[in-house]
PDB file of all heavy atoms in Angstrom:
ATOM      1  N   GLY A   1     -67.791 -74.702 -21.171  1.00 90.00           N
ATOM      2  CA  GLY A   1     -68.079 -73.404 -21.918  1.00 90.00           C
ATOM      3  C   GLY A   1     -66.797 -72.736 -22.472  1.00 90.00           C
ATOM      4  O   GLY A   1     -66.846 -71.857 -23.310  1.00 90.00           O
ATOM      5  N   CYS A   2     -65.603 -73.106 -21.982  1.00 91.00           N
ATOM      6  CA  CYS A   2     -64.407 -72.464 -22.433  1.00 91.00           C
ATOM      7  C   CYS A   2     -63.586 -73.417 -23.349  1.00 91.00           C
ATOM      8  O   CYS A   2     -62.410 -73.102 -23.743  1.00 91.00           O
ATOM      9  CB  CYS A   2     -63.543 -71.878 -21.259  1.00 91.00           C
ATOM     10  SG  CYS A   2     -62.828 -73.237 -20.278  1.00 91.00           S
ATOM     11  N   ARG A   3     -64.063 -74.552 -23.691  1.00 90.00           N
ATOM     12  CA  ARG A   3     -63.312 -75.555 -24.417  1.00 90.00           C
ATOM     13  C   ARG A   3     -62.765 -75.103 -25.717  1.00 90.00           C
ATOM     14  O   ARG A   3     -61.653 -75.363 -26.122  1.00 90.00           O
ATOM     15  CB  ARG A   3     -64.075 -76.900 -24.571  1.00 90.00           C
ATOM     16  CG  ARG A   3     -65.192 -76.791 -25.567  1.00 90.00           C
ATOM     17  CD  ARG A   3     -65.830 -78.185 -25.627  1.00 90.00           C
ATOM     18  NE  ARG A   3     -67.092 -78.166 -26.353  1.00 90.00           N
ATOM     19  CZ  ARG A   3     -68.312 -77.905 -25.816  1.00 90.00           C
ATOM     20  NH1 ARG A   3     -68.420 -77.732 -24.517  1.00 90.00           N
ATOM     21  NH2 ARG A   3     -69.366 -77.891 -26.596  1.00 90.00           N
ATOM     22  N   TRP A   4     -63.573 -74.334 -26.489  1.00 92.00           N
ATOM     23  CA  TRP A   4     -63.169 -73.934 -27.842  1.00 92.00           C
ATOM     24  C   TRP A   4     -62.055 -72.833 -27.785  1.00 92.00           C
ATOM     25  O   TRP A   4     -61.026 -72.931 -28.524  1.00 92.00           O
ATOM     26  CB  TRP A   4     -64.373 -73.445 -28.676  1.00 92.00           C
ATOM     27  CG  TRP A   4     -65.342 -74.491 -28.872  1.00 92.00           C
ATOM     28  CD1 TRP A   4     -66.679 -74.506 -28.508  1.00 92.00           C
ATOM     29  CD2 TRP A   4     -65.156 -75.836 -29.474  1.00 92.00           C
ATOM     30  NE1 TRP A   4     -67.268 -75.717 -28.789  1.00 92.00           N
ATOM     31  CE2 TRP A   4     -66.316 -76.495 -29.360  1.00 92.00           C
ATOM     32  CE3 TRP A   4     -64.008 -76.420 -29.968  1.00 92.00           C
ATOM     33  CZ2 TRP A   4     -66.424 -77.802 -29.880  1.00 92.00           C
ATOM     34  CZ3 TRP A   4     -64.127 -77.708 -30.511  1.00 92.00           C
ATOM     35  CH2 TRP A   4     -65.362 -78.349 -30.403  1.00 92.00           C
ATOM     36  N   GLN A   5     -62.114 -71.978 -26.786  1.00 90.00           N
ATOM     37  CA  GLN A   5     -61.077 -71.061 -26.568  1.00 90.00           C
ATOM     38  C   GLN A   5     -59.799 -71.756 -26.177  1.00 90.00           C
ATOM     39  O   GLN A   5     -58.687 -71.416 -26.635  1.00 90.00           O
ATOM     40  CB  GLN A   5     -61.385 -69.985 -25.574  1.00 90.00           C
ATOM     41  CG  GLN A   5     -62.464 -69.070 -26.066  1.00 90.00           C
ATOM     42  CD  GLN A   5     -62.960 -68.103 -25.002  1.00 90.00           C
ATOM     43  OE1 GLN A   5     -63.373 -68.568 -23.964  1.00 90.00           O
ATOM     44  NE2 GLN A   5     -62.835 -66.873 -25.279  1.00 90.00           N
ATOM     45  N   TRP A   6     -59.939 -72.758 -25.250  1.00 88.00           N
ATOM     46  CA  TRP A   6     -58.783 -73.520 -24.773  1.00 88.00           C
ATOM     47  C   TRP A   6     -58.091 -74.281 -25.999  1.00 88.00           C
ATOM     48  O   TRP A   6     -56.925 -74.367 -26.054  1.00 88.00           O
ATOM     49  CB  TRP A   6     -59.235 -74.511 -23.733  1.00 88.00           C
ATOM     50  CG  TRP A   6     -58.205 -75.416 -23.181  1.00 88.00           C
ATOM     51  CD1 TRP A   6     -58.006 -76.715 -23.497  1.00 88.00           C
ATOM     52  CD2 TRP A   6     -57.125 -75.101 -22.321  1.00 88.00           C
ATOM     53  NE1 TRP A   6     -56.975 -77.282 -22.830  1.00 88.00           N
ATOM     54  CE2 TRP A   6     -56.377 -76.267 -22.095  1.00 88.00           C
ATOM     55  CE3 TRP A   6     -56.797 -73.905 -21.619  1.00 88.00           C
ATOM     56  CZ2 TRP A   6     -55.298 -76.262 -21.272  1.00 88.00           C
ATOM     57  CZ3 TRP A   6     -55.581 -73.971 -20.820  1.00 88.00           C
ATOM     58  CH2 TRP A   6     -54.970 -75.179 -20.612  1.00 88.00           C
ATOM     59  N   LEU A   7     -58.930 -74.777 -26.826  1.00 91.00           N
ATOM     60  CA  LEU A   7     -58.364 -75.535 -27.961  1.00 91.00           C
ATOM     61  C   LEU A   7     -57.985 -74.726 -29.131  1.00 91.00           C
ATOM     62  O   LEU A   7     -57.375 -75.209 -30.162  1.00 91.00           O
ATOM     63  CB  LEU A   7     -59.502 -76.611 -28.386  1.00 91.00           C
ATOM     64  CG  LEU A   7     -59.778 -77.630 -27.428  1.00 91.00           C
ATOM     65  CD1 LEU A   7     -61.024 -78.402 -27.936  1.00 91.00           C
ATOM     66  CD2 LEU A   7     -58.587 -78.575 -27.206  1.00 91.00           C
ATOM     67  N   ASP A   8     -58.195 -73.434 -29.136  1.00 92.00           N
ATOM     68  CA  ASP A   8     -57.833 -72.523 -30.303  1.00 92.00           C
ATOM     69  C   ASP A   8     -56.327 -72.552 -30.399  1.00 92.00           C
ATOM     70  O   ASP A   8     -55.575 -72.088 -29.531  1.00 92.00           O
ATOM     71  CB  ASP A   8     -58.394 -71.160 -29.875  1.00 92.00           C
ATOM     72  CG  ASP A   8     -58.077 -70.167 -31.109  1.00 92.00           C
ATOM     73  OD1 ASP A   8     -57.396 -70.479 -31.975  1.00 92.00           O
ATOM     74  OD2 ASP A   8     -58.583 -69.043 -30.990  1.00 92.00           O
ATOM     75  N   PRO A   9     -55.856 -73.018 -31.579  1.00 93.00           N
ATOM     76  CA  PRO A   9     -54.364 -72.982 -31.851  1.00 93.00           C
ATOM     77  C   PRO A   9     -53.786 -71.603 -31.922  1.00 93.00           C
ATOM     78  O   PRO A   9     -52.568 -71.474 -31.785  1.00 93.00           O
ATOM     79  CB  PRO A   9     -54.247 -73.731 -33.197  1.00 93.00           C
ATOM     80  CG  PRO A   9     -55.535 -73.636 -33.786  1.00 93.00           C
ATOM     81  CD  PRO A   9     -56.558 -73.526 -32.752  1.00 93.00           C
ATOM     82  N   GLY A  10     -54.612 -70.634 -32.111  1.00 92.00           N
ATOM     83  CA  GLY A  10     -54.135 -69.244 -32.187  1.00 92.00           C
ATOM     84  C   GLY A  10     -53.846 -68.651 -30.793  1.00 92.00           C
ATOM     85  O   GLY A  10     -53.143 -67.653 -30.772  1.00 92.00           O
ATOM     86  N   LEU A  11     -54.378 -69.300 -29.775  1.00 90.00           N
ATOM     87  CA  LEU A  11     -54.109 -68.821 -28.436  1.00 90.00           C
ATOM     88  C   LEU A  11     -52.854 -69.630 -27.864  1.00 90.00           C
ATOM     89  O   LEU A  11     -53.059 -70.804 -27.544  1.00 90.00           O
ATOM     90  CB  LEU A  11     -55.252 -68.965 -27.509  1.00 90.00           C
ATOM     91  CG  LEU A  11     -56.470 -68.106 -27.777  1.00 90.00           C
ATOM     92  CD1 LEU A  11     -57.621 -68.411 -26.861  1.00 90.00           C
ATOM     93  CD2 LEU A  11     -56.116 -66.642 -27.613  1.00 90.00           C
ATOM     94  N   SER A  12     -51.745 -68.988 -27.744  1.00 89.00           N
ATOM     95  CA  SER A  12     -50.655 -69.736 -27.160  1.00 89.00           C
ATOM     96  C   SER A  12     -49.966 -68.962 -25.943  1.00 89.00           C
ATOM     97  O   SER A  12     -49.131 -69.471 -25.265  1.00 89.00           O
ATOM     98  CB  SER A  12     -49.571 -69.946 -28.261  1.00 89.00           C
ATOM     99  OG  SER A  12     -49.062 -68.681 -28.836  1.00 89.00           O
ATOM    100  N   ASP A  13     -50.416 -67.722 -25.720  1.00 92.00           N
ATOM    101  CA  ASP A  13     -49.902 -66.941 -24.648  1.00 92.00           C
ATOM    102  C   ASP A  13     -50.487 -67.447 -23.305  1.00 92.00           C
ATOM    103  O   ASP A  13     -51.730 -67.576 -23.193  1.00 92.00           O
ATOM    104  CB  ASP A  13     -50.321 -65.482 -24.811  1.00 92.00           C
ATOM    105  CG  ASP A  13     -49.882 -64.653 -23.660  1.00 92.00           C
ATOM    106  OD1 ASP A  13     -48.593 -64.491 -23.441  1.00 92.00           O
ATOM    107  OD2 ASP A  13     -50.743 -64.114 -22.898  1.00 92.00           O
ATOM    108  N   ARG A  14     -49.640 -67.792 -22.343  1.00 91.00           N
ATOM    109  CA  ARG A  14     -50.058 -68.460 -21.133  1.00 91.00           C
ATOM    110  C   ARG A  14     -50.962 -67.567 -20.351  1.00 91.00           C
ATOM    111  O   ARG A  14     -51.936 -68.050 -19.768  1.00 91.00           O
ATOM    112  CB  ARG A  14     -48.808 -68.745 -20.271  1.00 91.00           C
ATOM    113  CG  ARG A  14     -48.107 -69.895 -20.740  1.00 91.00           C
ATOM    114  CD  ARG A  14     -46.940 -70.209 -19.747  1.00 91.00           C
ATOM    115  NE  ARG A  14     -46.166 -71.368 -20.329  1.00 91.00           N
ATOM    116  CZ  ARG A  14     -45.545 -72.251 -19.619  1.00 91.00           C
ATOM    117  NH1 ARG A  14     -45.507 -72.115 -18.307  1.00 91.00           N
ATOM    118  NH2 ARG A  14     -44.811 -73.157 -20.110  1.00 91.00           N
ATOM    119  N   GLU A  15     -50.756 -66.272 -20.266  1.00 93.00           N
ATOM    120  CA  GLU A  15     -51.640 -65.393 -19.444  1.00 93.00           C
ATOM    121  C   GLU A  15     -53.046 -65.329 -20.085  1.00 93.00           C
ATOM    122  O   GLU A  15     -54.083 -65.408 -19.433  1.00 93.00           O
ATOM    123  CB  GLU A  15     -51.018 -64.007 -19.374  1.00 93.00           C
ATOM    124  CG  GLU A  15     -51.709 -63.083 -18.355  1.00 93.00           C
ATOM    125  CD  GLU A  15     -51.648 -63.761 -16.912  1.00 93.00           C
ATOM    126  OE1 GLU A  15     -50.623 -64.378 -16.602  1.00 93.00           O
ATOM    127  OE2 GLU A  15     -52.660 -63.554 -16.279  1.00 93.00           O
ATOM    128  N   THR A  16     -53.095 -65.274 -21.448  1.00 91.00           N
ATOM    129  CA  THR A  16     -54.372 -65.300 -22.136  1.00 91.00           C
ATOM    130  C   THR A  16     -55.126 -66.553 -21.810  1.00 91.00           C
ATOM    131  O   THR A  16     -56.373 -66.596 -21.562  1.00 91.00           O
ATOM    132  CB  THR A  16     -54.185 -65.109 -23.660  1.00 91.00           C
ATOM    133  OG1 THR A  16     -53.532 -63.840 -23.889  1.00 91.00           O
ATOM    134  CG2 THR A  16     -55.555 -65.043 -24.337  1.00 91.00           C
ATOM    135  N   LEU A  17     -54.417 -67.718 -21.930  1.00 89.00           N
ATOM    136  CA  LEU A  17     -55.011 -69.033 -21.681  1.00 89.00           C
ATOM    137  C   LEU A  17     -55.549 -69.067 -20.200  1.00 89.00           C
ATOM    138  O   LEU A  17     -56.600 -69.626 -19.932  1.00 89.00           O
ATOM    139  CB  LEU A  17     -54.088 -70.151 -21.934  1.00 89.00           C
ATOM    140  CG  LEU A  17     -53.761 -70.409 -23.436  1.00 89.00           C
ATOM    141  CD1 LEU A  17     -52.623 -71.353 -23.592  1.00 89.00           C
ATOM    142  CD2 LEU A  17     -55.022 -70.909 -24.087  1.00 89.00           C
ATOM    143  N   ARG A  18     -54.765 -68.625 -19.237  1.00 89.00           N
ATOM    144  CA  ARG A  18     -55.232 -68.543 -17.899  1.00 89.00           C
ATOM    145  C   ARG A  18     -56.492 -67.764 -17.757  1.00 89.00           C
ATOM    146  O   ARG A  18     -57.317 -68.026 -16.888  1.00 89.00           O
ATOM    147  CB  ARG A  18     -54.161 -68.029 -16.994  1.00 89.00           C
ATOM    148  CG  ARG A  18     -53.030 -68.904 -16.714  1.00 89.00           C
ATOM    149  CD  ARG A  18     -52.075 -68.320 -15.653  1.00 89.00           C
ATOM    150  NE  ARG A  18     -50.910 -69.164 -15.465  1.00 89.00           N
ATOM    151  CZ  ARG A  18     -49.668 -68.888 -15.892  1.00 89.00           C
ATOM    152  NH1 ARG A  18     -49.382 -67.780 -16.471  1.00 89.00           N
ATOM    153  NH2 ARG A  18     -48.721 -69.716 -15.731  1.00 89.00           N
ATOM    154  N   ASN A  19     -56.590 -66.680 -18.519  1.00 89.00           N
ATOM    155  CA  ASN A  19     -57.847 -65.814 -18.395  1.00 89.00           C
ATOM    156  C   ASN A  19     -59.046 -66.468 -19.073  1.00 89.00           C
ATOM    157  O   ASN A  19     -60.209 -66.193 -18.638  1.00 89.00           O
ATOM    158  CB  ASN A  19     -57.540 -64.451 -19.020  1.00 89.00           C
ATOM    159  CG  ASN A  19     -56.602 -63.636 -18.133  1.00 89.00           C
ATOM    160  OD1 ASN A  19     -56.520 -63.776 -16.935  1.00 89.00           O
ATOM    161  ND2 ASN A  19     -55.826 -62.797 -18.875  1.00 89.00           N
ATOM    162  N   VAL A  20     -58.925 -67.265 -20.028  1.00 89.00           N
ATOM    163  CA  VAL A  20     -60.055 -67.867 -20.707  1.00 89.00           C
ATOM    164  C   VAL A  20     -60.435 -69.216 -20.108  1.00 89.00           C
ATOM    165  O   VAL A  20     -61.612 -69.623 -20.160  1.00 89.00           O
ATOM    166  CB  VAL A  20     -59.849 -68.125 -22.203  1.00 89.00           C
ATOM    167  CG1 VAL A  20     -59.633 -66.784 -22.899  1.00 89.00           C
ATOM    168  CG2 VAL A  20     -58.775 -69.117 -22.568  1.00 89.00           C
ATOM    169  N   ALA A  21     -59.522 -69.986 -19.499  1.00 90.00           N
ATOM    170  CA  ALA A  21     -59.726 -71.137 -18.874  1.00 90.00           C
ATOM    171  C   ALA A  21     -60.492 -71.009 -17.538  1.00 90.00           C
ATOM    172  O   ALA A  21     -60.201 -70.191 -16.698  1.00 90.00           O
ATOM    173  CB  ALA A  21     -58.453 -71.958 -18.594  1.00 90.00           C
ATOM    174  N   ARG A  22     -61.609 -71.819 -17.470  1.00 91.00           N
ATOM    175  CA  ARG A  22     -62.392 -71.799 -16.252  1.00 91.00           C
ATOM    176  C   ARG A  22     -62.526 -73.242 -15.724  1.00 91.00           C
ATOM    177  O   ARG A  22     -62.807 -74.143 -16.507  1.00 91.00           O
ATOM    178  CB  ARG A  22     -63.788 -71.267 -16.501  1.00 91.00           C
ATOM    179  CG  ARG A  22     -63.817 -69.780 -16.882  1.00 91.00           C
ATOM    180  CD  ARG A  22     -65.219 -69.196 -16.934  1.00 91.00           C
ATOM    181  NE  ARG A  22     -66.138 -69.986 -17.882  1.00 91.00           N
ATOM    182  CZ  ARG A  22     -66.200 -69.972 -19.168  1.00 91.00           C
ATOM    183  NH1 ARG A  22     -65.454 -69.070 -19.798  1.00 91.00           N
ATOM    184  NH2 ARG A  22     -67.054 -70.769 -19.846  1.00 91.00           N
ATOM    185  N   ARG A  23     -62.321 -73.402 -14.434  1.00 90.00           N
ATOM    186  CA  ARG A  23     -62.347 -74.817 -13.925  1.00 90.00           C
ATOM    187  C   ARG A  23     -63.742 -75.182 -13.832  1.00 90.00           C
ATOM    188  O   ARG A  23     -64.699 -74.398 -13.571  1.00 90.00           O
ATOM    189  CB  ARG A  23     -61.753 -74.788 -12.486  1.00 90.00           C
ATOM    190  CG  ARG A  23     -60.302 -74.643 -12.502  1.00 90.00           C
ATOM    191  CD  ARG A  23     -59.767 -74.735 -11.117  1.00 90.00           C
ATOM    192  NE  ARG A  23     -58.325 -74.486 -11.085  1.00 90.00           N
ATOM    193  CZ  ARG A  23     -57.562 -74.536 -10.053  1.00 90.00           C
ATOM    194  NH1 ARG A  23     -58.066 -74.861  -8.937  1.00 90.00           N
ATOM    195  NH2 ARG A  23     -56.237 -74.312 -10.221  1.00 90.00           N
ATOM    196  N   LEU A  24     -64.013 -76.504 -13.990  1.00 89.00           N
ATOM    197  CA  LEU A  24     -65.299 -77.071 -13.822  1.00 89.00           C
ATOM    198  C   LEU A  24     -65.614 -77.067 -12.339  1.00 89.00           C
ATOM    199  O   LEU A  24     -64.788 -77.407 -11.492  1.00 89.00           O
ATOM    200  CB  LEU A  24     -65.275 -78.437 -14.355  1.00 89.00           C
ATOM    201  CG  LEU A  24     -66.615 -79.182 -14.281  1.00 89.00           C
ATOM    202  CD1 LEU A  24     -67.670 -78.545 -15.178  1.00 89.00           C
ATOM    203  CD2 LEU A  24     -66.417 -80.696 -14.702  1.00 89.00           C
ATOM    204  N   ASP A  25     -66.859 -76.665 -12.091  1.00 90.00           N
ATOM    205  CA  ASP A  25     -67.305 -76.649 -10.631  1.00 90.00           C
ATOM    206  C   ASP A  25     -67.346 -78.100 -10.095  1.00 90.00           C
ATOM    207  O   ASP A  25     -67.916 -78.936 -10.710  1.00 90.00           O
ATOM    208  CB  ASP A  25     -68.758 -76.157 -10.609  1.00 90.00           C
ATOM    209  CG  ASP A  25     -69.337 -76.008  -9.194  1.00 90.00           C
ATOM    210  OD1 ASP A  25     -68.542 -76.226  -8.209  1.00 90.00           O
ATOM    211  OD2 ASP A  25     -70.467 -75.682  -9.057  1.00 90.00           O
ATOM    212  N   ALA A  26     -66.589 -78.350  -9.011  1.00 91.00           N
ATOM    213  CA  ALA A  26     -66.429 -79.665  -8.499  1.00 91.00           C
ATOM    214  C   ALA A  26     -67.814 -80.298  -8.169  1.00 91.00           C
ATOM    215  O   ALA A  26     -67.885 -81.558  -8.183  1.00 91.00           O
ATOM    216  CB  ALA A  26     -65.544 -79.598  -7.223  1.00 91.00           C
ATOM    217  N   GLU A  27     -68.806 -79.558  -7.882  1.00 92.00           N
ATOM    218  CA  GLU A  27     -70.124 -80.096  -7.579  1.00 92.00           C
ATOM    219  C   GLU A  27     -70.768 -80.788  -8.730  1.00 92.00           C
ATOM    220  O   GLU A  27     -71.680 -81.602  -8.622  1.00 92.00           O
ATOM    221  CB  GLU A  27     -71.011 -79.005  -6.988  1.00 92.00           C
ATOM    222  CG  GLU A  27     -70.560 -78.559  -5.621  1.00 92.00           C
ATOM    223  CD  GLU A  27     -71.441 -77.417  -5.001  1.00 92.00           C
ATOM    224  OE1 GLU A  27     -72.539 -77.167  -5.638  1.00 92.00           O
ATOM    225  OE2 GLU A  27     -71.051 -76.969  -3.945  1.00 92.00           O
ATOM    226  N   ARG A  28     -70.259 -80.463  -9.935  1.00 90.00           N
ATOM    227  CA  ARG A  28     -70.811 -81.096 -11.200  1.00 90.00           C
ATOM    228  C   ARG A  28     -70.169 -82.471 -11.462  1.00 90.00           C
ATOM    229  O   ARG A  28     -70.642 -83.127 -12.305  1.00 90.00           O
ATOM    230  CB  ARG A  28     -70.581 -80.141 -12.364  1.00 90.00           C
ATOM    231  CG  ARG A  28     -71.385 -78.968 -12.266  1.00 90.00           C
ATOM    232  CD  ARG A  28     -71.217 -78.028 -13.494  1.00 90.00           C
ATOM    233  NE  ARG A  28     -71.476 -78.623 -14.722  1.00 90.00           N
ATOM    234  CZ  ARG A  28     -71.241 -78.164 -15.881  1.00 90.00           C
ATOM    235  NH1 ARG A  28     -70.640 -76.998 -16.005  1.00 90.00           N
ATOM    236  NH2 ARG A  28     -71.500 -78.851 -16.988  1.00 90.00           N
ATOM    237  N   LEU A  29     -69.084 -82.853 -10.768  1.00 90.00           N
ATOM    238  CA  LEU A  29     -68.498 -84.104 -10.997  1.00 90.00           C
ATOM    239  C   LEU A  29     -69.199 -85.196 -10.252  1.00 90.00           C
ATOM    240  O   LEU A  29     -69.665 -85.006  -9.121  1.00 90.00           O
ATOM    241  CB  LEU A  29     -67.018 -84.020 -10.485  1.00 90.00           C
ATOM    242  CG  LEU A  29     -66.104 -83.072 -11.259  1.00 90.00           C
ATOM    243  CD1 LEU A  29     -64.668 -83.086 -10.591  1.00 90.00           C
ATOM    244  CD2 LEU A  29     -65.903 -83.352 -12.698  1.00 90.00           C
ATOM    245  N   VAL A  30     -69.218 -86.372 -10.883  1.00 89.00           N
ATOM    246  CA  VAL A  30     -69.837 -87.561 -10.262  1.00 89.00           C
ATOM    247  C   VAL A  30     -68.732 -88.700 -10.387  1.00 89.00           C
ATOM    248  O   VAL A  30     -68.204 -88.935 -11.452  1.00 89.00           O
ATOM    249  CB  VAL A  30     -71.068 -87.990 -11.014  1.00 89.00           C
ATOM    250  CG1 VAL A  30     -71.668 -89.195 -10.476  1.00 89.00           C
ATOM    251  CG2 VAL A  30     -72.115 -86.856 -11.025  1.00 89.00           C
ATOM    252  N   ALA A  31     -68.535 -89.379  -9.227  1.00 91.00           N
ATOM    253  CA  ALA A  31     -67.566 -90.480  -9.241  1.00 91.00           C
ATOM    254  C   ALA A  31     -68.347 -91.731  -8.843  1.00 91.00           C
ATOM    255  O   ALA A  31     -69.223 -91.746  -7.972  1.00 91.00           O
ATOM    256  CB  ALA A  31     -66.471 -90.215  -8.246  1.00 91.00           C
ATOM    257  N   TYR A  32     -67.939 -92.851  -9.514  1.00 91.00           N
ATOM    258  CA  TYR A  32     -68.569 -94.130  -9.161  1.00 91.00           C
ATOM    259  C   TYR A  32     -67.585 -95.212  -9.624  1.00 91.00           C
ATOM    260  O   TYR A  32     -66.755 -95.015 -10.537  1.00 91.00           O
ATOM    261  CB  TYR A  32     -69.927 -94.325  -9.808  1.00 91.00           C
ATOM    262  CG  TYR A  32     -69.959 -94.078 -11.312  1.00 91.00           C
ATOM    263  CD1 TYR A  32     -69.739 -95.206 -12.215  1.00 91.00           C
ATOM    264  CD2 TYR A  32     -70.238 -92.863 -11.933  1.00 91.00           C
ATOM    265  CE1 TYR A  32     -69.712 -95.021 -13.540  1.00 91.00           C
ATOM    266  CE2 TYR A  32     -70.294 -92.670 -13.289  1.00 91.00           C
ATOM    267  CZ  TYR A  32     -70.019 -93.799 -14.033  1.00 91.00           C
ATOM    268  OH  TYR A  32     -70.006 -93.561 -15.445  1.00 91.00           O
TER     269      TYR A  32
END
């Protein structure tokens, strides 16, 4: 859900990026 903000070349301020970036819920990951 935050990928386009993360990839936005206009966003370069670290604090702004920290605020828009959301970690993926670990329960959604599948390993095999």
Side-chain angles (χ1 to χ4, degrees):
C2 70
R3 71 179 170 269
W4 298 120
Q5 291 173 303
W6 176 258
L7 294 172
D8 182 352
L11 291 179
S12 59
D13 176 66
R14 286 183 184 210
E15 192 59 35
T16 302
L17 287 170
R18 283 187 184 111
N19 290 329
V20 299
R22 293 185 312 273
R23 291 182 183 184
L24 182 65
D25 182 7
E27 292 179 8
R28 292 181 58 191
L29 297 175
V30 177
Y32 54 88

